Short mmCIF file of all heavy atoms in Angstrom, two decimals:
data_model
loop_
_atom_site.label_atom_id
_atom_site.label_comp_id
_atom_site.label_asym_id
_atom_site.label_seq_id
_atom_site.Cartn_x
_atom_site.Cartn_y
_atom_site.Cartn_z
N ARG A 120 0.82 -1.20 0.00
CA ARG A 120 0.00 0.00 0.00
C ARG A 120 0.86 1.27 0.00
O ARG A 120 0.44 2.28 -0.52
CB ARG A 120 -0.93 0.01 1.21
CG ARG A 120 -1.89 -1.15 1.27
CD ARG A 120 -3.19 -0.76 0.61
NE ARG A 120 -4.11 -1.88 0.63
CZ ARG A 120 -4.77 -2.25 -0.44
NH1 ARG A 120 -4.63 -1.63 -1.55
NH2 ARG A 120 -5.59 -3.26 -0.37
N GLU A 121 2.03 1.18 0.61
CA GLU A 121 2.92 2.34 0.65
C GLU A 121 3.40 2.71 -0.75
O GLU A 121 3.41 3.89 -1.13
CB GLU A 121 4.11 2.04 1.56
CG GLU A 121 4.96 3.25 1.87
CD GLU A 121 6.05 2.92 2.87
OE1 GLU A 121 5.75 2.29 3.90
OE2 GLU A 121 7.20 3.29 2.60
N ALA A 122 3.78 1.70 -1.53
CA ALA A 122 4.21 1.96 -2.91
C ALA A 122 3.05 2.50 -3.73
O ALA A 122 3.23 3.44 -4.53
CB ALA A 122 4.76 0.68 -3.54
N GLN A 123 1.86 1.96 -3.52
CA GLN A 123 0.68 2.44 -4.24
C GLN A 123 0.43 3.91 -3.91
O GLN A 123 0.14 4.71 -4.80
CB GLN A 123 -0.54 1.60 -3.87
CG GLN A 123 -1.78 1.96 -4.67
CD GLN A 123 -2.98 1.16 -4.24
OE1 GLN A 123 -3.55 1.46 -3.18
NE2 GLN A 123 -3.32 0.15 -5.01
N ALA A 124 0.56 4.28 -2.65
CA ALA A 124 0.36 5.67 -2.24
C ALA A 124 1.39 6.59 -2.91
O ALA A 124 1.05 7.70 -3.35
CB ALA A 124 0.44 5.80 -0.72
N ARG A 125 2.64 6.13 -3.03
CA ARG A 125 3.67 6.95 -3.70
C ARG A 125 3.35 7.09 -5.18
O ARG A 125 3.54 8.15 -5.77
CB ARG A 125 5.05 6.32 -3.50
CG ARG A 125 5.60 6.51 -2.11
CD ARG A 125 7.09 6.19 -2.02
NE ARG A 125 7.45 4.92 -2.62
CZ ARG A 125 7.52 3.76 -1.98
NH1 ARG A 125 7.24 3.70 -0.70
NH2 ARG A 125 7.88 2.66 -2.61
N GLY A 126 2.88 6.01 -5.81
CA GLY A 126 2.52 6.07 -7.22
C GLY A 126 1.36 7.02 -7.46
O GLY A 126 1.37 7.82 -8.40
N LEU A 127 0.34 6.95 -6.60
CA LEU A 127 -0.80 7.86 -6.72
C LEU A 127 -0.36 9.31 -6.51
O LEU A 127 -0.83 10.22 -7.21
CB LEU A 127 -1.89 7.48 -5.72
CG LEU A 127 -2.60 6.16 -6.00
CD1 LEU A 127 -3.48 5.77 -4.82
CD2 LEU A 127 -3.42 6.26 -7.28
N ALA A 128 0.54 9.54 -5.57
CA ALA A 128 1.05 10.89 -5.32
C ALA A 128 1.81 11.41 -6.54
O ALA A 128 1.71 12.60 -6.89
CB ALA A 128 1.95 10.91 -4.09
N ALA A 129 2.55 10.55 -7.21
CA ALA A 129 3.28 10.96 -8.42
C ALA A 129 2.31 11.37 -9.52
O ALA A 129 2.50 12.39 -10.20
CB ALA A 129 4.20 9.85 -8.90
N LEU A 130 1.25 10.59 -9.70
CA LEU A 130 0.24 10.95 -10.70
C LEU A 130 -0.43 12.27 -10.34
O LEU A 130 -0.70 13.10 -11.21
CB LEU A 130 -0.80 9.84 -10.83
CG LEU A 130 -0.31 8.53 -11.42
CD1 LEU A 130 -1.41 7.48 -11.39
CD2 LEU A 130 0.22 8.72 -12.83
N GLN A 131 -0.69 12.48 -9.05
CA GLN A 131 -1.30 13.73 -8.61
C GLN A 131 -0.38 14.92 -8.91
O GLN A 131 -0.85 15.97 -9.35
CB GLN A 131 -1.60 13.67 -7.10
CG GLN A 131 -2.28 14.92 -6.56
CD GLN A 131 -3.68 15.11 -7.09
OE1 GLN A 131 -4.49 14.20 -7.03
NE2 GLN A 131 -3.98 16.29 -7.60
N ARG A 132 0.92 14.76 -8.71
CA ARG A 132 1.88 15.85 -9.00
C ARG A 132 1.88 16.18 -10.49
O ARG A 132 1.94 17.36 -10.87
CB ARG A 132 3.28 15.48 -8.53
CG ARG A 132 3.47 15.64 -7.04
CD ARG A 132 4.92 15.56 -6.61
NE ARG A 132 5.57 14.32 -7.00
CZ ARG A 132 5.55 13.20 -6.28
NH1 ARG A 132 4.89 13.15 -5.15
NH2 ARG A 132 6.18 12.13 -6.69
N ILE A 133 1.81 15.17 -11.33
CA ILE A 133 1.76 15.41 -12.78
C ILE A 133 0.52 16.22 -13.11
O ILE A 133 0.57 17.20 -13.85
CB ILE A 133 1.79 14.07 -13.55
CG1 ILE A 133 3.15 13.40 -13.40
CG2 ILE A 133 1.45 14.29 -15.03
CD1 ILE A 133 3.19 11.97 -13.87
N PHE A 134 -0.62 15.83 -12.55
CA PHE A 134 -1.87 16.55 -12.77
C PHE A 134 -1.76 17.99 -12.24
O PHE A 134 -2.15 18.94 -12.92
CB PHE A 134 -3.02 15.82 -12.09
CG PHE A 134 -4.33 16.55 -12.19
CD1 PHE A 134 -5.09 16.47 -13.34
CD2 PHE A 134 -4.79 17.32 -11.13
CE1 PHE A 134 -6.30 17.15 -13.44
CE2 PHE A 134 -6.00 17.99 -11.21
CZ PHE A 134 -6.74 17.91 -12.37
N ASP A 135 -1.24 18.15 -11.04
CA ASP A 135 -1.12 19.47 -10.42
C ASP A 135 -0.23 20.41 -11.23
O ASP A 135 -0.43 21.62 -11.20
CB ASP A 135 -0.58 19.37 -8.99
CG ASP A 135 -1.58 18.75 -8.03
OD1 ASP A 135 -2.78 18.65 -8.37
OD2 ASP A 135 -1.15 18.34 -6.92
N ASP A 136 0.75 19.83 -11.94
CA ASP A 136 1.64 20.64 -12.78
C ASP A 136 0.96 21.10 -14.06
O ASP A 136 1.55 21.83 -14.85
CB ASP A 136 2.92 19.87 -13.11
CG ASP A 136 3.87 19.78 -11.93
OD1 ASP A 136 3.68 20.52 -10.93
OD2 ASP A 136 4.80 18.95 -11.98
N GLY A 137 -0.26 20.64 -14.30
CA GLY A 137 -1.01 21.06 -15.47
C GLY A 137 -0.62 20.35 -16.75
O GLY A 137 -0.92 20.83 -17.84
N VAL A 138 0.02 19.21 -16.63
CA VAL A 138 0.43 18.45 -17.81
C VAL A 138 -0.81 17.82 -18.45
O VAL A 138 -1.59 17.15 -17.78
CB VAL A 138 1.45 17.36 -17.42
CG1 VAL A 138 1.81 16.50 -18.61
CG2 VAL A 138 2.69 18.00 -16.81
N ALA A 139 -1.00 18.06 -19.73
CA ALA A 139 -2.17 17.53 -20.43
C ALA A 139 -2.00 16.05 -20.77
O ALA A 139 -2.96 15.29 -20.77
CB ALA A 139 -2.45 18.33 -21.69
N SER A 140 -0.78 15.65 -21.07
CA SER A 140 -0.51 14.28 -21.46
C SER A 140 0.92 13.94 -21.04
O SER A 140 1.81 14.75 -21.24
CB SER A 140 -0.68 14.13 -22.97
OG SER A 140 -0.47 12.81 -23.36
N ALA A 141 1.10 12.77 -20.46
CA ALA A 141 2.44 12.39 -19.99
C ALA A 141 2.65 10.90 -20.16
O ALA A 141 1.69 10.12 -20.09
CB ALA A 141 2.62 12.77 -18.52
N ALA A 142 3.88 10.51 -20.38
CA ALA A 142 4.25 9.10 -20.37
C ALA A 142 4.91 8.82 -19.02
O ALA A 142 5.84 9.51 -18.62
CB ALA A 142 5.22 8.78 -21.50
N VAL A 143 4.39 7.84 -18.32
CA VAL A 143 4.92 7.48 -17.00
C VAL A 143 5.42 6.05 -17.11
O VAL A 143 4.71 5.17 -17.59
CB VAL A 143 3.82 7.59 -15.92
CG1 VAL A 143 4.36 7.17 -14.56
CG2 VAL A 143 3.25 9.01 -15.88
N VAL A 144 6.63 5.82 -16.65
CA VAL A 144 7.26 4.50 -16.73
C VAL A 144 7.41 3.94 -15.32
O VAL A 144 7.80 4.66 -14.40
CB VAL A 144 8.63 4.61 -17.42
CG1 VAL A 144 9.30 3.25 -17.50
CG2 VAL A 144 8.49 5.24 -18.79
N SER A 145 7.09 2.66 -15.17
CA SER A 145 7.18 2.02 -13.86
C SER A 145 7.43 0.53 -14.04
O SER A 145 7.33 0.01 -15.14
CB SER A 145 5.88 2.24 -13.09
OG SER A 145 5.93 1.58 -11.84
N HIS A 146 7.72 -0.13 -12.95
CA HIS A 146 7.85 -1.59 -13.00
C HIS A 146 6.47 -2.23 -12.84
O HIS A 146 5.52 -1.58 -12.39
CB HIS A 146 8.84 -2.10 -11.95
CG HIS A 146 8.47 -1.74 -10.54
ND1 HIS A 146 7.53 -2.44 -9.83
CD2 HIS A 146 8.92 -0.76 -9.73
CE1 HIS A 146 7.41 -1.90 -8.63
NE2 HIS A 146 8.23 -0.89 -8.54
N GLY A 147 6.35 -3.46 -13.23
CA GLY A 147 5.06 -4.14 -13.28
C GLY A 147 4.34 -4.23 -11.95
O GLY A 147 3.11 -4.15 -11.91
N ASN A 148 5.07 -4.39 -10.84
CA ASN A 148 4.40 -4.52 -9.55
C ASN A 148 3.67 -3.24 -9.18
O ASN A 148 2.51 -3.28 -8.76
CB ASN A 148 5.39 -4.88 -8.45
CG ASN A 148 5.91 -6.29 -8.58
OD1 ASN A 148 5.34 -7.11 -9.28
ND2 ASN A 148 7.01 -6.57 -7.92
N LEU A 149 4.32 -2.10 -9.31
CA LEU A 149 3.67 -0.84 -8.98
C LEU A 149 2.56 -0.54 -9.97
O LEU A 149 1.46 -0.13 -9.57
CB LEU A 149 4.68 0.32 -8.97
CG LEU A 149 4.09 1.70 -8.67
CD1 LEU A 149 3.35 1.71 -7.33
CD2 LEU A 149 5.18 2.75 -8.69
N LEU A 150 2.81 -0.77 -11.24
CA LEU A 150 1.79 -0.53 -12.25
C LEU A 150 0.54 -1.38 -11.98
O LEU A 150 -0.59 -0.88 -12.00
CB LEU A 150 2.35 -0.84 -13.64
CG LEU A 150 1.40 -0.65 -14.82
CD1 LEU A 150 0.87 0.77 -14.87
CD2 LEU A 150 2.10 -1.01 -16.11
N SER A 151 0.72 -2.65 -11.67
CA SER A 151 -0.44 -3.50 -11.41
C SER A 151 -1.16 -3.08 -10.14
O SER A 151 -2.39 -3.16 -10.06
CB SER A 151 -0.03 -4.97 -11.35
OG SER A 151 0.84 -5.20 -10.28
N SER A 152 -0.45 -2.57 -9.16
CA SER A 152 -1.08 -2.07 -7.95
C SER A 152 -1.96 -0.86 -8.25
O SER A 152 -3.08 -0.74 -7.74
CB SER A 152 -0.02 -1.69 -6.91
OG SER A 152 -0.62 -1.13 -5.77
N LEU A 153 -1.47 0.05 -9.10
CA LEU A 153 -2.26 1.22 -9.48
C LEU A 153 -3.48 0.81 -10.32
O LEU A 153 -4.57 1.35 -10.13
CB LEU A 153 -1.39 2.22 -10.24
CG LEU A 153 -0.29 2.87 -9.43
CD1 LEU A 153 0.62 3.70 -10.34
CD2 LEU A 153 -0.85 3.72 -8.32
N LEU A 154 -3.29 -0.14 -11.22
CA LEU A 154 -4.41 -0.60 -12.03
C LEU A 154 -5.45 -1.31 -11.16
O LEU A 154 -6.66 -1.15 -11.37
CB LEU A 154 -3.92 -1.52 -13.15
CG LEU A 154 -2.98 -0.87 -14.18
CD1 LEU A 154 -2.51 -1.90 -15.18
CD2 LEU A 154 -3.63 0.32 -14.87
N ASN A 155 -4.99 -2.05 -10.17
CA ASN A 155 -5.91 -2.71 -9.24
C ASN A 155 -6.70 -1.70 -8.43
O ASN A 155 -7.87 -1.93 -8.10
CB ASN A 155 -5.14 -3.65 -8.32
CG ASN A 155 -6.02 -4.25 -7.26
OD1 ASN A 155 -6.04 -3.75 -6.13
ND2 ASN A 155 -6.72 -5.31 -7.60
N ARG A 156 -6.10 -0.58 -8.13
CA ARG A 156 -6.81 0.48 -7.39
C ARG A 156 -7.99 1.01 -8.21
O ARG A 156 -9.04 1.32 -7.67
CB ARG A 156 -5.82 1.60 -7.06
CG ARG A 156 -6.41 2.87 -6.54
CD ARG A 156 -6.81 2.75 -5.08
NE ARG A 156 -7.41 3.98 -4.61
CZ ARG A 156 -6.84 4.81 -3.77
NH1 ARG A 156 -5.64 4.55 -3.27
NH2 ARG A 156 -7.46 5.90 -3.38
N MET A 157 -7.80 1.09 -9.53
CA MET A 157 -8.87 1.57 -10.41
C MET A 157 -9.90 0.48 -10.69
O MET A 157 -11.07 0.77 -10.87
CB MET A 157 -8.28 2.08 -11.73
CG MET A 157 -7.50 3.37 -11.58
SD MET A 157 -6.76 3.85 -13.13
CE MET A 157 -5.22 2.95 -13.05
N ASN A 158 -9.42 -0.76 -10.76
CA ASN A 158 -10.31 -1.88 -11.09
C ASN A 158 -9.86 -3.10 -10.27
O ASN A 158 -8.89 -3.77 -10.63
CB ASN A 158 -10.24 -2.20 -12.58
CG ASN A 158 -11.12 -3.36 -12.97
OD1 ASN A 158 -11.77 -3.98 -12.13
ND2 ASN A 158 -11.15 -3.67 -14.25
N PRO A 159 -10.57 -3.39 -9.17
CA PRO A 159 -10.17 -4.51 -8.31
C PRO A 159 -10.11 -5.86 -9.03
O PRO A 159 -9.47 -6.79 -8.54
CB PRO A 159 -11.25 -4.52 -7.22
CG PRO A 159 -11.75 -3.11 -7.19
CD PRO A 159 -11.68 -2.64 -8.62
N ALA A 160 -10.73 -5.98 -10.20
CA ALA A 160 -10.65 -7.22 -10.96
C ALA A 160 -9.25 -7.43 -11.55
O ALA A 160 -8.91 -8.54 -11.95
CB ALA A 160 -11.69 -7.22 -12.08
N PHE A 161 -8.43 -6.36 -11.61
CA PHE A 161 -7.06 -6.49 -12.09
C PHE A 161 -6.24 -7.04 -10.93
O PHE A 161 -5.77 -6.32 -10.06
CB PHE A 161 -6.50 -5.14 -12.56
CG PHE A 161 -5.22 -5.27 -13.33
CD1 PHE A 161 -5.23 -5.29 -14.71
CD2 PHE A 161 -4.00 -5.38 -12.67
CE1 PHE A 161 -4.05 -5.43 -15.42
CE2 PHE A 161 -2.83 -5.51 -13.37
CZ PHE A 161 -2.85 -5.53 -14.75
N GLY A 162 -6.10 -8.36 -10.91
CA GLY A 162 -5.42 -9.02 -9.80
C GLY A 162 -4.18 -9.78 -10.24
O GLY A 162 -3.54 -9.44 -11.24
N PHE A 163 -3.87 -10.82 -9.48
CA PHE A 163 -2.65 -11.58 -9.70
C PHE A 163 -2.57 -12.14 -11.10
O PHE A 163 -1.53 -12.05 -11.75
CB PHE A 163 -2.54 -12.70 -8.66
CG PHE A 163 -1.35 -13.58 -8.89
CD1 PHE A 163 -0.08 -13.14 -8.52
CD2 PHE A 163 -1.48 -14.82 -9.49
CE1 PHE A 163 1.04 -13.94 -8.74
CE2 PHE A 163 -0.38 -15.62 -9.71
CZ PHE A 163 0.88 -15.19 -9.34
N ASP A 164 -3.66 -12.75 -11.58
CA ASP A 164 -3.63 -13.34 -12.92
C ASP A 164 -3.39 -12.28 -14.00
O ASP A 164 -2.68 -12.52 -14.97
CB ASP A 164 -4.92 -14.10 -13.21
CG ASP A 164 -4.99 -15.41 -12.44
OD1 ASP A 164 -3.93 -15.97 -12.11
OD2 ASP A 164 -6.11 -15.87 -12.17
N SER A 165 -3.99 -11.10 -13.82
CA SER A 165 -3.76 -10.00 -14.77
C SER A 165 -2.30 -9.58 -14.74
O SER A 165 -1.68 -9.34 -15.79
CB SER A 165 -4.66 -8.81 -14.44
OG SER A 165 -6.01 -9.17 -14.49
N TRP A 166 -1.74 -9.46 -13.54
CA TRP A 166 -0.33 -9.08 -13.40
C TRP A 166 0.56 -10.14 -14.06
O TRP A 166 1.48 -9.80 -14.81
CB TRP A 166 0.04 -8.95 -11.92
CG TRP A 166 1.51 -8.88 -11.69
CD1 TRP A 166 2.31 -7.78 -11.83
CD2 TRP A 166 2.37 -9.95 -11.32
NE1 TRP A 166 3.62 -8.12 -11.55
CE2 TRP A 166 3.68 -9.44 -11.24
CE3 TRP A 166 2.16 -11.30 -11.05
CZ2 TRP A 166 4.76 -10.23 -10.89
CZ3 TRP A 166 3.25 -12.08 -10.71
CH2 TRP A 166 4.53 -11.54 -10.62
N ARG A 167 0.26 -11.40 -13.80
CA ARG A 167 1.09 -12.50 -14.30
C ARG A 167 1.11 -12.56 -15.82
O ARG A 167 2.11 -12.93 -16.43
CB ARG A 167 0.57 -13.83 -13.73
CG ARG A 167 1.45 -15.01 -13.98
CD ARG A 167 0.94 -16.25 -13.27
NE ARG A 167 -0.47 -16.55 -13.51
CZ ARG A 167 -0.92 -17.17 -14.60
NH1 ARG A 167 -0.10 -17.53 -15.54
NH2 ARG A 167 -2.22 -17.42 -14.73
N THR A 168 0.01 -12.14 -16.45
CA THR A 168 -0.07 -12.23 -17.91
C THR A 168 0.19 -10.90 -18.61
O THR A 168 0.00 -10.80 -19.82
CB THR A 168 -1.46 -12.76 -18.33
OG1 THR A 168 -2.47 -11.88 -17.84
CG2 THR A 168 -1.68 -14.17 -17.80
N MET A 169 0.64 -9.89 -17.87
CA MET A 169 0.97 -8.60 -18.49
C MET A 169 2.10 -8.78 -19.49
O MET A 169 3.09 -9.46 -19.18
CB MET A 169 1.43 -7.57 -17.43
CG MET A 169 0.33 -6.95 -16.63
SD MET A 169 0.95 -5.90 -15.28
CE MET A 169 1.79 -4.62 -16.19
N PRO A 170 1.97 -8.19 -20.67
CA PRO A 170 3.09 -8.27 -21.61
C PRO A 170 4.22 -7.37 -21.13
O PRO A 170 4.05 -6.55 -20.23
CB PRO A 170 2.48 -7.73 -22.91
CG PRO A 170 1.38 -6.84 -22.47
CD PRO A 170 0.84 -7.43 -21.20
N ASN A 171 5.38 -7.57 -21.74
CA ASN A 171 6.52 -6.73 -21.40
C ASN A 171 7.12 -6.19 -22.69
O ASN A 171 7.65 -6.98 -23.48
CB ASN A 171 7.56 -7.55 -20.63
CG ASN A 171 8.63 -6.69 -20.03
OD1 ASN A 171 8.58 -5.47 -20.10
ND2 ASN A 171 9.62 -7.33 -19.44
N PRO A 172 7.00 -4.92 -22.96
CA PRO A 172 6.43 -3.88 -22.09
C PRO A 172 4.91 -3.87 -22.17
O PRO A 172 4.32 -4.29 -23.17
CB PRO A 172 7.00 -2.59 -22.66
CG PRO A 172 7.17 -2.87 -24.12
CD PRO A 172 7.54 -4.34 -24.20
N ALA A 173 4.30 -3.39 -21.09
CA ALA A 173 2.84 -3.22 -21.03
C ALA A 173 2.54 -1.73 -21.12
O ALA A 173 3.16 -0.92 -20.43
CB ALA A 173 2.30 -3.78 -19.72
N LEU A 174 1.62 -1.37 -21.99
CA LEU A 174 1.26 0.04 -22.18
C LEU A 174 -0.21 0.23 -21.85
O LEU A 174 -1.07 -0.50 -22.38
CB LEU A 174 1.52 0.48 -23.62
CG LEU A 174 2.96 0.35 -24.11
CD1 LEU A 174 3.02 0.65 -25.60
CD2 LEU A 174 3.86 1.27 -23.33
N TYR A 175 -0.49 1.22 -21.01
CA TYR A 175 -1.86 1.51 -20.62
C TYR A 175 -2.10 3.02 -20.71
O TYR A 175 -1.21 3.81 -20.40
CB TYR A 175 -2.14 1.07 -19.17
CG TYR A 175 -2.01 -0.41 -18.98
CD1 TYR A 175 -0.81 -0.98 -18.57
CD2 TYR A 175 -3.08 -1.25 -19.21
CE1 TYR A 175 -0.68 -2.34 -18.40
CE2 TYR A 175 -2.96 -2.62 -19.05
CZ TYR A 175 -1.76 -3.16 -18.64
OH TYR A 175 -1.64 -4.51 -18.48
N ARG A 176 -3.29 3.37 -21.11
CA ARG A 176 -3.72 4.77 -21.08
C ARG A 176 -4.60 4.92 -19.84
O ARG A 176 -5.59 4.22 -19.68
CB ARG A 176 -4.52 5.14 -22.32
CG ARG A 176 -5.02 6.58 -22.32
CD ARG A 176 -5.78 6.94 -23.59
NE ARG A 176 -4.85 6.96 -24.72
CZ ARG A 176 -4.95 6.17 -25.79
NH1 ARG A 176 -5.95 5.31 -25.90
NH2 ARG A 176 -4.07 6.25 -26.77
N VAL A 177 -4.21 5.85 -18.97
CA VAL A 177 -4.92 6.05 -17.71
C VAL A 177 -5.60 7.41 -17.76
O VAL A 177 -4.99 8.41 -18.14
CB VAL A 177 -3.93 6.01 -16.51
CG1 VAL A 177 -4.65 6.33 -15.21
CG2 VAL A 177 -3.26 4.65 -16.44
N GLN A 178 -6.86 7.43 -17.39
CA GLN A 178 -7.61 8.69 -17.33
C GLN A 178 -7.67 9.15 -15.87
O GLN A 178 -8.02 8.36 -14.98
CB GLN A 178 -9.02 8.51 -17.87
CG GLN A 178 -9.82 9.80 -17.86
CD GLN A 178 -11.20 9.61 -18.44
OE1 GLN A 178 -11.55 8.54 -18.94
NE2 GLN A 178 -12.00 10.64 -18.39
N LEU A 179 -7.33 10.42 -15.67
CA LEU A 179 -7.37 11.00 -14.34
C LEU A 179 -8.59 11.90 -14.21
O LEU A 179 -8.99 12.56 -15.15
CB LEU A 179 -6.11 11.84 -14.07
CG LEU A 179 -4.76 11.13 -14.21
CD1 LEU A 179 -3.64 12.12 -13.95
CD2 LEU A 179 -4.67 9.96 -13.26
N ASN A 180 -9.15 11.92 -13.01
CA ASN A 180 -10.22 12.85 -12.69
C ASN A 180 -9.73 13.67 -11.50
O ASN A 180 -9.67 13.17 -10.38
CB ASN A 180 -11.49 12.07 -12.33
CG ASN A 180 -12.67 12.98 -12.10
OD1 ASN A 180 -12.64 14.15 -12.44
ND2 ASN A 180 -13.73 12.43 -11.52
N PHE A 181 -9.33 14.92 -11.78
CA PHE A 181 -8.74 15.79 -10.76
C PHE A 181 -7.55 15.13 -10.09
O PHE A 181 -7.38 15.20 -8.88
CB PHE A 181 -9.79 16.23 -9.74
CG PHE A 181 -10.87 17.07 -10.35
CD1 PHE A 181 -12.10 16.51 -10.64
CD2 PHE A 181 -10.65 18.40 -10.66
CE1 PHE A 181 -13.11 17.28 -11.23
CE2 PHE A 181 -11.64 19.17 -11.24
CZ PHE A 181 -12.86 18.61 -11.51
N GLY A 182 -6.71 14.49 -10.89
CA GLY A 182 -5.48 13.88 -10.40
C GLY A 182 -5.63 12.49 -9.87
O GLY A 182 -4.64 11.86 -9.50
N VAL A 183 -6.84 11.98 -9.82
CA VAL A 183 -7.07 10.61 -9.30
C VAL A 183 -7.32 9.69 -10.49
O VAL A 183 -8.21 9.96 -11.30
CB VAL A 183 -8.29 10.60 -8.34
CG1 VAL A 183 -8.57 9.18 -7.86
CG2 VAL A 183 -8.05 11.53 -7.17
N PRO A 184 -6.55 8.61 -10.62
CA PRO A 184 -6.78 7.68 -11.73
C PRO A 184 -8.12 6.98 -11.57
O PRO A 184 -8.43 6.46 -10.51
CB PRO A 184 -5.61 6.70 -11.63
CG PRO A 184 -5.10 6.81 -10.25
CD PRO A 184 -5.46 8.18 -9.76
N VAL A 185 -8.92 7.01 -12.65
CA VAL A 185 -10.26 6.44 -12.55
C VAL A 185 -10.50 5.29 -13.54
O VAL A 185 -11.28 4.39 -13.25
CB VAL A 185 -11.36 7.52 -12.72
CG1 VAL A 185 -11.38 8.45 -11.52
CG2 VAL A 185 -11.19 8.29 -14.00
N THR A 186 -9.90 5.34 -14.71
CA THR A 186 -10.06 4.26 -15.68
C THR A 186 -8.75 4.03 -16.41
O THR A 186 -7.87 4.90 -16.43
CB THR A 186 -11.15 4.58 -16.73
OG1 THR A 186 -10.77 5.74 -17.47
CG2 THR A 186 -12.51 4.78 -16.09
N PHE A 187 -8.64 2.87 -17.04
CA PHE A 187 -7.48 2.59 -17.86
C PHE A 187 -7.88 1.68 -19.00
O PHE A 187 -8.91 1.00 -18.93
CB PHE A 187 -6.34 1.96 -17.05
CG PHE A 187 -6.63 0.59 -16.52
CD1 PHE A 187 -6.32 -0.53 -17.29
CD2 PHE A 187 -7.22 0.41 -15.29
CE1 PHE A 187 -6.58 -1.81 -16.81
CE2 PHE A 187 -7.48 -0.87 -14.80
CZ PHE A 187 -7.16 -1.97 -15.57
N GLU A 188 -7.08 1.73 -20.05
CA GLU A 188 -7.27 0.83 -21.18
C GLU A 188 -5.91 0.40 -21.68
O GLU A 188 -4.94 1.15 -21.57
CB GLU A 188 -8.08 1.48 -22.29
CG GLU A 188 -7.39 2.68 -22.91
CD GLU A 188 -8.21 3.34 -24.01
OE1 GLU A 188 -8.87 2.63 -24.77
OE2 GLU A 188 -8.16 4.57 -24.09
N THR A 189 -5.85 -0.79 -22.24
CA THR A 189 -4.61 -1.30 -22.81
C THR A 189 -4.37 -0.63 -24.13
O THR A 189 -5.28 -0.46 -24.94
CB THR A 189 -4.72 -2.82 -23.01
OG1 THR A 189 -5.04 -3.43 -21.76
CG2 THR A 189 -3.42 -3.39 -23.54
N ILE A 190 -3.13 -0.23 -24.38
CA ILE A 190 -2.71 0.33 -25.67
C ILE A 190 -1.99 -0.79 -26.40
O ILE A 190 -1.03 -1.36 -25.87
CB ILE A 190 -1.78 1.53 -25.49
CG1 ILE A 190 -2.49 2.65 -24.75
CG2 ILE A 190 -1.27 2.01 -26.85
CD1 ILE A 190 -1.59 3.81 -24.41
N THR A 191 -2.44 -1.10 -27.60
CA THR A 191 -1.79 -2.18 -28.35
C THR A 191 -1.01 -1.61 -29.52
O THR A 191 -1.18 -0.51 -29.93
CB THR A 191 -2.82 -3.18 -28.87
OG1 THR A 191 -3.79 -2.48 -29.65
CG2 THR A 191 -3.47 -3.89 -27.72
#
């Protein structure tokens, strides 16, 4: 949960800086934790089958990630 909180804080800082679009790079464990926060169905099996590299588009609502989609 501590890593998830740091990841969420980083996304909030990007939003607070007024960035319209950003590429954020992370390792799979933190990324899957953030995706799980948005969608609890994204669990261990989803993490285990993530491609490498995995690309996702995340939508923020006032700095809080609310949805994501896979970019292929």
Side-chain angles (χ1 to χ4, degrees):
R120 299 267 178 228
E121 190 175 312
Q123 185 183 76
R125 286 194 311 268
L127 291 170
L130 292 176
Q131 182 67 51
R132 282 192 302 273
I133 292 168
F134 176 80
D135 290 345
D136 286 346
V138 176
S140 182
V143 178
V144 179
S145 178
H146 59 80
N148 290 343
L149 179 57
L150 179 58
S151 63
S152 177
L153 294 172
L154 297 177
N155 174 262
R156 169 78 181 251
M157 290 177 273
N158 179 358
F161 192 97
F163 176 77
D164 287 333
S165 300
W166 167 80
R167 189 174 51 81
T168 60
M169 282 173 64
N171 191 5
L174 301 173
Y175 297 93
R176 179 178 292 120
V177 175
Q178 182 178 355
L179 303 178
N180 185 14
F181 296 101
V183 177
V185 291
T186 62
F187 67 89
E188 64 181 322
T189 304
I190 298 173
T191 55

